[in-house]
Amino acid sequence: MIQPPSRRAALLLLAGAAWPARASEDADRARRALEKGEIRPLDEVLRAARAAVPGDVVAVDLKRDDGQWLYKLRILGADGKRRSVKVDAGSLKILDEDDDD
């Protein structure tokens, strides 16, 4: 006899189903901000971040904080250290750098 999924399994399945929708919403939000000129193209943001903190960008997050668009990037340096860099998404100004390690 086939057993129905447990409540926990059902919740995990539902949560997983929401992830692609969230990613799509985030991409749409970023596209609209770019079209309005509120943020700069990602390649420009990556260049600015790498100029401040050389290395490989391993994660990128765009968020709106107190009316300001910010990119938070995680960069893995040649020395193996991870650093977090916050970049103003409109001006490309480096706002903060921190060691993650």
Side-chain angles (χ1 to χ4, degrees):
M1 174 177 201
I2 299 175
Q3 297 276 333
S6 70
R7 181 173 181 202
R8 180 179 169 179
L11 289 174
L12 289 173
L13 288 171
L14 289 174
W19 288 339
R22 172 69 186 205
S24 178
E25 290 172 16
D26 288 348
D28 289 343
R29 187 173 57 120
R31 189 176 305 107
R32 285 191 304 272
L34 180 62
E35 289 170 353
K36 291 179 183 177
E38 296 174 350
I39 64 173
R40 304 285 288 275
L42 183 58
D43 63 330
E44 293 179 21
V45 175
L46 295 174
R47 265 196 305 274
R50 285 188 189 122
V53 180
D56 295 322
V57 175
V58 295
V60 178
D61 185 30
L62 175 65
K63 61 173 94 177
R64 194 159 173 93
D65 188 22
D66 291 331
Q68 181 180 20
W69 286 103
L70 302 173
Y71 274 103
K72 181 178 179 184
L73 299 96
R74 294 248 166 102
I75 299 178
L76 181 62
D79 58 2
K81 291 186 179 181
R82 291 176 300 165
R83 310 227 348 130
S84 290
V85 179
K86 287 184 186 171
V87 180
D88 181 299
S91 70
L92 301 181
K93 179 180 177 185
I94 305 299
L95 302 174
D96 192 24
E97 297 177 34
D98 292 320
D99 282 335
D100 282 352
D101 296 330

